[in-house]
C-alpha cells in the first residue's frame, strides 16, 4: 500500500460510516443499470415503437444496435469525464456523471414513437443512449476508485465488489417491476405504453439519488495528493500506459460479456429464442441478479485472501470450457429449470471473476490516472464486447442456426480474460523485480 492509500485508511471517510459511504457512492450505478436492463428487456416493444420495419429480425437488430451505440460513447466519457474526475475530485465528478445519465434516461422515457414524430423518434432515442453511454464511461470507474481508496487494509476486493453489487439491486427491482406489469397488463398494453412505466419510475427516483450523491465526502487519498494533473497531463499518461489500458480492456472483456448475457439479453433470449414465457424469463433474470449480488462480495473477499490472479485464471478456464456445452444443454430442451441452472452457473462465473477483477484493475492503473485509466479500459471492453453482446448473440444464432451460439462469444471473452491476466501479472512481476534491483 502506498503512502497516499495509507493516509486514506487512517483518516477514513469521517464523519460518515463506511457503509453509508458505500451506499452514497454506488447510488448512481442503480439508475445506470436500471435503465440499461429495461432497454434490453423491452427491446421487442421498443423495436416496434421506434424502429418499425417489415422484418422483426431487422427491427430487433436496429434496437440492439442503438443499445450498443451507447457503449461506443463510453471510451469518450472515460477519457474526458475520467480526466475531469482525476483533476477535480471523485465527489464533484460523480455528481456530473449522474446529471448526464439522468438526462439520457428522461429523454428515452418521454420520446414519442415513430408513428407520431417520424425519424425524430429513433434519433432522439439514439441521443438518449449516447448521453447515457458518455456518462457511464466514467461513472463506473469513478465509483470503483472511490471504493478502492476508502477500503480498509486487506479488504479492497470486498469494498470494490459493491460497485457491481449495487447494479444487481437495480436488476432485481427492474425485473420485479416488469414481472408485476406482466401480471397486471396485457401484452398489447405493455407494447403500446406499459413499457414506459418502469422508465418513468427510474426518472422519479433521480432526485433521491442526487441527494445521496451530494452528501458524499471527497476521499482522503485524493485530498492527500500534492499534485492534481491537468487534462493534458492525464491524456499523455494514458497514452504512455496504453499497454496497461489494453490489457485492462481484455481483462474486463470476460466480466462485461457475461454480465450483459445473463441480465440484459436473458429476457430476449428466453422469449424470442427459447420460446419460454415472459414471466419465466423475468423470474430467471431476477434470481440471477440476486445470485450475482451474493457471489460478488464473496469473489472480492476470496481474492483478498488468495490473490487476484489465481481466482481470475480459474474462472476464465472454467468459462472457456463450459460456456457452450451449458447453453447447448439448455437449447436442446428449453425449460425454466434448465435456463435457471445454466444462468446461475454463469452468475457464479460473473460474481467470482468480477469480485477480483475490479480490485485488480484499480491496482494496475497508475495512481495519477486511476479513474481515467480504469474507466477507459472498462469502457473499451464494454464497447467492443459487453455492450454488443445482445446484437452479437442475435446475429450468431441467426447465421449459425444454433441457439447455443452465444456460448462461442462468451468463451472467446473468457479467453481474452485469461490472456490478459497472464500478461498483466507477468508485467507487474517484472516491474516489481526491476524496482527491487534498482533499490
Amino acid at each position: 500500500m502506498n503512502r497516499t492509500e495509507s493516509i486514506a485508511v487512517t483518516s477514513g471517510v469521517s464523519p460518515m460510516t463506511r457503509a453509508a459511504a458505500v451506499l452514497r457512492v454506488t447510488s448512481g450505478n442503480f439508475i445506470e443499470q436500471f435503465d440499461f436492463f429495461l432497454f434490453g428487456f423491452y427491446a421487442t416493444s421498443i423495436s416496434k415503437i421506434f424502429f418499425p420495419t417489415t422484418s422483426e429480425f431487422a427491427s430487433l437488430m436496429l434496437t440492439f444496435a442503438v443499445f450498443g451505440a451507447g457503449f461506443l460513447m463510453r471510451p469518450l466519457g472515460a477519457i474526458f469525464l475520467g480526466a475531469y474526475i482525476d483533476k477535480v475530485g471523485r465527489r464533484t465528478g460523480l455528481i456530473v456523471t449522474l446529471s448526464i445519465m439522468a438526462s439520457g434516461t428522461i429523454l428515452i422515457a418521454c420520446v414519442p414513437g415513430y408513428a407520431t414524430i417520424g425519424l425524430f423518434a429513433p434519433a432522439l432515442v439514439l441521443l438518449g443512449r449516447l448521453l447515457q453511454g458518455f456518462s457511464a464511461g466514467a461513472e463506473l470507474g469513478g465509483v470503483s476508485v472511490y471504493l478502492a481508496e476508502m477500503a480498509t487494509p486487506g479488504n479492497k476486493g470486498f469494498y470494490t465488489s459493491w460497485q457491481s453489487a449495487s447494479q444487481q439491486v437495480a436488476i432485481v427491482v427492474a425485473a420485479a417491476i416488469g414481472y408485476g406489469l406482466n401480471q397486471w397488463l396485457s401484452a398489447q398494453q405493455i407494447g403500446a405504453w406499459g413499457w414506459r412505466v418502469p422508465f418513468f419510475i427510474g426518472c422519479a427516483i433521480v432526485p433521491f439519488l442526487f441527494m445521496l450523491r451530494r452528501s458524499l465526502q471527497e476521499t482522503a487519498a485524493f485530498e492527500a495528493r500534492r499534485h492534481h494533473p491537468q487534462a493534458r497531463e492525464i491524456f499523455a499518461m494514458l497514452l504512455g500506459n496504453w499497454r496497461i489500458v489494453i490489457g485492462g480492456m481484455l481483462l474486463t472483456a470476460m466480466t462485461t460479456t457475461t454480465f450483459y448475457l445473463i441480465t440484459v439479453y436473458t429476457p430476449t433470449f428466453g422469449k424470442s429464442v427459447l420460446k419460454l414465457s415472459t414471466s419465466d424469463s423475468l423470474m430467471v433474470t431476477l434470481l440471477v441478479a440476486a445470485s450475482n449480488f451474493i457471489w460478488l462480495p464473496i469473489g472480492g473477499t476470496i481474492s483478498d485472501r488468495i490473490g487476484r490472479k489465481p481466482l481470475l485464471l480459474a474462472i476464465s478456464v472454467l468459462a472457456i470450457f463450459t460456456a457452450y456445452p451449458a447453453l447447448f444443454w439448455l437449447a436442446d430442451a428449453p425449460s425454466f429449470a434448465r435456463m435457471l441452472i445454466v444462468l446461475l452457473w454463469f452468475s457464479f462465473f460473473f460474481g467470482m471473476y468480477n469480485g477480483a477483477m475490479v480490485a485488480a484493475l484499480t491496482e494496475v492503473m497508475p495512481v495519477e490516472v486511476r479513474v481515467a485509466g480504469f474507466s477507459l479500459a472498462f469502457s473499451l471492453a464494454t464497447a467492443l464486447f459487453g455492450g454488443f453482446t445482445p446484437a452479437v448473440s442475435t446475429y450468431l444464432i441467426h447465421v449459425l442456426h444454433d441457439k447455443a451460439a452465444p456460448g462461442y462469444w462468451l468463451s472467446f471473452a473468457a479467453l481474452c480474460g485469461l490472456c490478459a491476466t497472464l500478461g498483466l501479472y507477468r508485467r507487474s512481476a517484472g516491474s516489481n523485480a526491476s524496482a527491487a534491483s534498482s533499490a
Side-chain angles (χ1 to χ4, degrees):
M1 182 176 295
N2 61 36
R3 175 182 178 276
T4 300
E5 289 172 328
S6 297
I7 293 172
V9 169
T10 56
S11 59
V13 234
S14 177
M16 298 184 299
T17 64
R18 294 186 181 277
V22 170
L23 172 63
R24 286 171 168 82
V25 74
T26 57
S27 61
N29 284 324
F30 181 93
I31 192 64
E32 172 195 341
Q33 203 51 57
F34 184 81
D35 189 65
F36 281 17
F37 170 79
L38 290 176
F39 198 101
F41 174 66
Y42 290 110
T44 303
S45 298
I46 291 173
S47 67
K48 295 175 181 178
I49 296 293
F50 296 106
F51 306 96
T53 68
T54 56
S55 166
E56 181 179 350
F57 169 73
S59 294
L60 196 58
M61 283 300 295
L62 283 172
T63 303
F64 281 138
V66 168
F67 179 78
F71 294 97
L72 296 179
M73 287 294 290
R74 284 195 173 208
L76 289 177
I79 293 172
F80 292 103
L81 289 178
Y84 177 74
I85 295 174
D86 277 324
K87 178 179 181 297
V88 305
R90 317 316 187 200
R91 176 187 179 276
T92 301
L94 288 172
I95 291 174
V96 171
T97 60
L98 179 58
S99 301
I100 300 173
M101 175 66 68
S103 300
T105 299
I106 293 170
L107 182 60
I108 292 174
C110 299
V111 173
Y114 182 90
T116 304
I117 59 174
L119 290 175
F120 283 108
L124 289 173
V125 170
L126 176 61
L127 176 60
R129 286 290 301 132
L130 295 179
L131 286 172
Q132 290 178 329
F134 185 74
S135 167
E139 165 75 19
L140 188 147
V143 170
S144 299
V145 169
Y146 189 102
L147 292 170
E149 291 181 346
M150 65 165 283
T152 53
N155 293 300
K156 187 180 292 185
F158 174 75
Y159 271 83
T160 56
S161 69
W162 292 103
Q163 179 276 322
S164 190
S166 67
Q167 295 182 336
Q168 310 315 309
V169 177
I171 299 295
V172 170
V173 173
I177 292 173
Y179 185 86
L181 288 175
N182 190 60
Q183 302 301 311
W184 300 325
L185 301 177
S186 67
Q188 292 74 20
Q189 289 174 317
I190 291 175
W193 56 268
W195 65 270
R196 293 185 187 267
V197 173
F199 283 92
F200 285 128
I201 293 175
C203 295
I205 66 175
V206 165
F208 174 70
L209 300 181
F210 268 109
M211 181 181 68
L212 289 177
R213 274 281 167 91
R214 285 177 61 84
S215 63
L216 269 179
Q217 290 187 352
E218 187 54 76
T219 66
F222 181 83
E223 291 181 333
R225 282 166 51 187
R226 296 172 181 171
H227 175 62
H228 297 157
Q230 299 296 314
R232 182 179 299 178
E233 296 176 79
I234 293 173
F235 298 154
M237 282 187 278
L238 283 176
L239 187 61
N241 290 280
W242 67 270
R243 289 184 178 85
I244 296 178
V245 172
I246 296 301
M249 176 195 75
L250 295 175
L251 184 72
T252 311
M254 162 70 174
T255 197
T256 58
T257 300
T258 307
F259 179 72
Y260 285 97
L261 181 68
I262 65 177
T263 55
V264 174
Y265 184 60
T266 290
T268 300
F269 183 65
K271 291 185 298 181
S272 302
V273 179
L274 302 180
K275 306 304 180 183
L276 299 177
S277 70
T278 300
S279 297
D280 283 350
S281 299
L282 271 173
M283 184 55 64
V284 168
T285 305
L286 191 154
L287 294 173
V288 164
S291 172
N292 292 344
F293 185 84
I294 294 170
W295 285 118
L296 282 161
I298 293 176
T301 301
I302 291 175
S303 77
D304 286 330
R305 302 297 177 263
I306 69 172
R308 322 290 182 211
K309 182 181 176 181
L311 189 56
L312 293 172
L313 291 177
I315 297 300
S316 296
V317 171
L318 273 177
I320 290 171
F321 289 105
T322 66
Y324 181 82
L327 282 175
F328 181 84
W329 177 73
L330 169 60
D332 184 56
S335 68
F336 172 81
R338 287 199 177 197
M339 187 176 184
L340 180 60
I341 291 171
V342 169
L343 292 185
L344 286 179
W345 177 237
F346 291 171
S347 169
F348 169 75
F349 289 167
F350 169 73
M352 297 295 284
Y353 186 94
N354 195 77
M357 187 280 302
V358 174
L361 196 54
T362 64
E363 291 165 349
V364 300
M365 289 297 166
V367 64
E368 296 83 4
V369 291
R370 187 171 279 167
V371 174
F374 183 107
S375 299
L376 182 57
F378 210 105
S379 297
L380 288 171
T382 307
L384 299 177
F385 292 89
F388 281 98
T389 289
V392 170
S393 298
T394 301
Y395 178 77
L396 289 176
I397 292 171
H398 181 76
V399 171
L400 300 178
H401 304 288
D402 182 358
K403 295 178 181 179
Y408 294 128
W409 181 239
L410 180 55
S411 293
F412 173 68
L415 179 61
C416 291
L418 177 68
C419 295
T421 300
L422 293 172
L424 284 172
Y425 279 92
R426 180 181 301 169
R427 179 184 179 88
S428 176
S431 299
N432 292 338
S434 299
S437 63
S438 298

